Amino acid sequence: MGRVYGVPVYVAPSWFLVAALITWFFGNQLDRVLPELGNGRYLVSLFFAVAFYASVLVHELAHTVAAIRFDLPVRRIQLQFFGGVSEIEKESQTPGREFVLAGVGPLLSLVLAGVFYLGMLVVDADTVPGVLLAGLMISNLIVAVFNLLPGLPLDGGRMLRAVVWKVSGSPMTGTVAAAWTGRVLAVAVLIGFPLATHLGSAGERDSFTGLETLTDALLAAILAAIIWTGAGNSLRMARLRERLPGLNARALTRRAVPVTGETPLSEALRRANDTGARALVVVDGQGTPVAVVREAGIAGVPQHRRPWVPVSTLAQDLTDGMRVPAGLTGEGLLDHLRATPATEYLVVEETGEIYGVLSTSDVERAFIDAMARPAAFPGRPPAAGS
């Protein structure tokens, strides 16, 4: 849709389904309040759907502005089936910032609800503006209250995580507590939402039958699935961030031997074998690295042709992004590799000296191994040998 503060805003295809459902549902409600609108009520309902999601966008912008204020990069804002999401790429540095970052969204939704309420005071309730303002006031209040529920992935869950993090001193402990609270919340929504809806109409003969019952159950199941899945994803991401420091550029780097571009592949491989190196770096006449020989390129050359193939034909020219500081670890390393996709990188010391070659296959293998290790209980040191 565009960019706000440099952050792209996207609309998921599922939004159009929700907009259609809101238009149909709100249109039916309008028929009871303003029957004189006729079929025009659906046009008013469509306007309400767009205005409601504009409010959701404002909610997400609050998170985005706070993230930018705290120097946290935001990949994008996406409006989707149930509301929206601001994809913040890094964790907050402190529990206080995490609490503020999570709380500004519901706070702004409450402010919007208040603004729409004030608007209701200056218009007639039985008019299109009055009904729209009432609907937007109620919907923003629901968004604020729902997001304040204390379970991940909701904003209230992130606020709970920040509180537990502050008390325990461990962000992982906060995530575990908030994620399991989120799972309990998902079960409560699955069972409690349809039950609470029908308790309100207990005097009606068909309160537990019909289309409304099915709709309530389906809505509860979708909400519960979203919360449960989000809580699980939060746990996995926390576990990933906890183990990322184990990804170390220096430890994963292959020893490399420098060769000139015209060196035959067979001779270059002989030198590498003699020195125990597992990678080749092409250098110019002054010894400055200019390219990295691709491992896949070497594998594709038959043994009998290697004396006739110069290494320069198998090399990828170095760009600035393909030079990786040897001291990079964790998220910093992954961010660097993600910014410049390649199969091999030249790892250099602070002095510019060649340290070796980093292969993305080695990074991926180390990443998978780190995630496969059993998690230590929060607050406990890992077992010996892990």
Side-chain angles (χ1 to χ4, degrees), residues 13-384:
S14 59
W15 177 86
F16 295 96
L17 173 60
V18 178
L21 291 174
I22 292 176
T23 301
W24 173 75
F25 177 79
F26 194 68
N28 290 340
Q29 300 301 314
L30 278 178
D31 192 37
R32 303 174 187 175
V33 181
L34 301 172
E36 65 274 13
L37 288 177
N39 290 332
R41 66 184 185 275
Y42 293 110
L43 185 60
V44 176
S45 299
L46 178 60
F47 178 83
F48 169 77
V50 175
F52 168 65
Y53 267 88
S55 300
V56 173
L57 177 59
V58 172
H59 175 110
E60 295 304 326
L61 283 175
H63 292 307
T64 296
V65 172
I68 293 173
R69 175 68 179 81
F70 294 146
D71 295 324
L72 301 175
V74 182
R75 183 178 302 164
R76 64 177 179 174
I77 298 173
Q78 186 177 50
L79 301 180
Q80 52 191 10
F81 192 87
F82 272 105
V85 59
S86 301
E87 297 183 8
I88 301 172
E89 296 185 348
K90 292 185 177 181
E91 289 289 316
S92 299
Q93 297 91 336
T94 65
R97 289 188 174 187
E98 174 76 357
F99 190 90
V100 171
L101 184 60
V104 291
L107 177 61
L108 201 52
S109 291
L110 287 173
V111 170
L112 287 175
V115 170
F116 291 129
Y117 174 75
L118 293 177
M120 291 169 55
L121 300 179
V122 298
V123 299
D124 293 333
D126 295 332
T127 61
V128 170
V131 172
L132 285 175
L133 288 170
L136 290 170
M137 186 272 291
I138 294 172
S139 60
N140 276 278
L141 190 60
I142 291 173
V143 167
V145 172
F146 180 74
N147 274 280
L148 284 173
L149 293 176
L152 287 172
L154 303 175
D155 293 329
R158 294 177 62 191
M159 296 168 74
L160 174 63
R161 173 182 182 268
V163 172
V164 177
W165 177 4
K166 178 68 175 178
V167 173
S168 67
S170 168
M172 187 63 184
T173 301
T175 300
V176 170
W180 278 104
T181 304
R183 286 176 168 175
V184 172
L185 180 62
V187 175
V189 168
L190 180 63
I191 299 173
F193 181 77
L195 186 61
T197 300
H198 290 293
L199 283 178
S201 55
E204 298 179 11
R205 181 179 302 175
D206 298 327
S207 60
F208 284 90
T209 61
L211 180 60
E212 289 187 2
T213 299
L214 180 61
T215 302
D216 291 342
L218 179 61
L219 180 61
I222 294 174
L223 280 172
I226 291 174
I227 296 172
W228 183 280
T229 303
N233 288 339
S234 297
L235 272 177
R236 281 188 289 274
M237 288 302 298
R239 193 174 298 123
L240 166 62
R241 286 191 166 97
E242 187 181 49
R243 296 170 180 179
L244 275 183
L247 296 181
N248 186 307
R250 194 182 297 277
L252 295 172
T253 296
R254 300 178 179 185
R255 185 178 179 183
V257 62
V259 295
T260 57
E262 63 274 8
T263 304
L265 178 58
S266 58
E267 172 61 17
L269 292 176
R270 185 193 64 78
R271 296 181 192 177
N273 290 332
D274 289 345
T275 58
R278 297 175 55 212
L280 301 173
V281 176
V282 178
V283 297
D284 61 16
Q286 287 73 43
T288 303
V290 295
V292 175
V293 179
R294 294 177 292 108
E295 184 179 19
I298 296 174
V301 179
Q303 190 78 29
H304 68 277
R305 285 193 48 79
R306 290 181 176 180
W308 318 106
V309 177
V311 294
S312 59
T313 62
L314 308 173
Q316 182 175 1
D317 292 339
L318 288 173
T319 62
D320 289 338
M322 290 176 62
R323 299 175 188 269
V324 176
L328 276 184
T329 61
E331 283 192 74
L333 174 61
L334 294 183
D335 289 342
H336 189 102
L337 302 188
R338 187 163 50 234
T340 308
T343 54
E344 283 91 9
Y345 299 83
L346 180 69
V347 180
V348 294
E349 299 282 9
E350 290 184 2
T351 59
E353 181 183 354
I354 298 174
Y355 184 78
V357 171
L358 179 66
S359 170
T360 52
S361 62
D362 292 340
V363 177
E364 290 169 1
R365 194 176 301 110
F367 181 89
I368 293 171
D369 290 345
M371 288 303 295
R373 290 198 301 268
F377 188 84
R380 259 185 217 169

